[in-house]
Amino acid sequence: MTFRNTDPVASELEPGDKVVGLIWHGHVVEVRDAEGRRQETSWGPLEWPEDRLGGALACISFGVTALVGALWALFARGRRRHATAAAIVRWHGVGLGGAAILTLWAQAANSWPMWAIPAIWGPLALLILASAVAFAIAALRGNLDRDDPSTPRVPPPLPPPSMGQSQGSGRPAR
């Protein structure tokens, strides 16, 4: 078997030392010494660690939603509701990218297997996408318009009753 580099295990091996080999698809992809140190062999998964998967999830999810939101805003010029919906899609893309990065951080900090990244990020992404769709629909319907004043509207006072009319009945007094 060959190694890409000789540190930390292969450089310190003596003849007769015991090692444990990890076999994957018929090839030894990793060896471990008695102290538990690991070293990949040349058959190991070269340059595809978990952080690259997490980085790809973050960049692709943010990039795709940013592109959709930008193109939507570009093609819907002059339509305020569509511009609001496009901004909502872009901001939800930030949430998708953030969820991917936090998922990667949690996976690395806890030494979870690589499959944990899509297992955690997938449901989070579905929730964020469902939120984006709901908010975009609300924006297109006009439910998110900011036409309402920021202070509650107080009705003007009623005019004083005129002479000859009783209060509240609206009929002339007799």
Side-chain angles (χ1 to χ4, degrees):
M1 101 182 59
T2 59
F3 298 94
R4 288 181 299 191
N5 53 31
T6 59
D7 289 328
V9 177
S11 63
E12 298 177 12
L13 284 178
E14 300 283 332
D17 284 347
K18 292 187 178 189
V19 294
V20 175
L22 176 64
I23 299 173
W24 186 63
H25 290 279
H27 299 286
V28 177
V29 295
E30 181 180 279
V31 293
R32 296 179 190 169
D33 64 3
E35 297 171 5
R37 294 179 298 176
R38 303 174 176 189
Q39 182 173 354
E40 279 190 4
T41 67
S42 58
W43 285 102
L46 301 175
E47 302 300 322
W48 187 249
E50 291 88 352
D51 61 340
R52 301 226 176 162
L53 175 62
L57 283 176
C59 292
I60 290 172
S61 62
F62 171 71
V64 167
T65 53
L67 179 66
V68 167
L71 289 175
W72 191 352
L74 182 68
F75 289 120
R77 286 186 182 239
R79 293 186 278 180
R80 191 179 55 164
R81 289 182 180 177
H82 284 272
T84 302
I88 287 170
V89 169
R90 288 191 306 267
W91 278 109
H92 277 82
V94 172
L96 281 172
I101 290 172
L102 289 175
T103 301
L104 173 66
W105 173 75
Q107 184 270 340
N110 295 306
S111 299
W112 291 334
M114 189 167 151
W115 62 262
I117 295 171
I120 295 169
W121 181 79
L124 290 174
L126 288 175
L127 287 173
I128 293 170
L129 289 173
S131 173
V133 168
F135 273 99
I137 289 171
L140 292 174
R141 288 182 179 168
N143 295 340
L144 300 180
D145 288 344
R146 296 183 182 207
D147 292 339
D148 297 332
S150 60
T151 59
R153 185 171 179 259
V154 178
L158 294 174
S162 63
M163 297 294 280
Q165 290 186 353
S166 66
Q167 284 183 324
S169 69
R171 292 191 262 171
R174 296 187 190 178

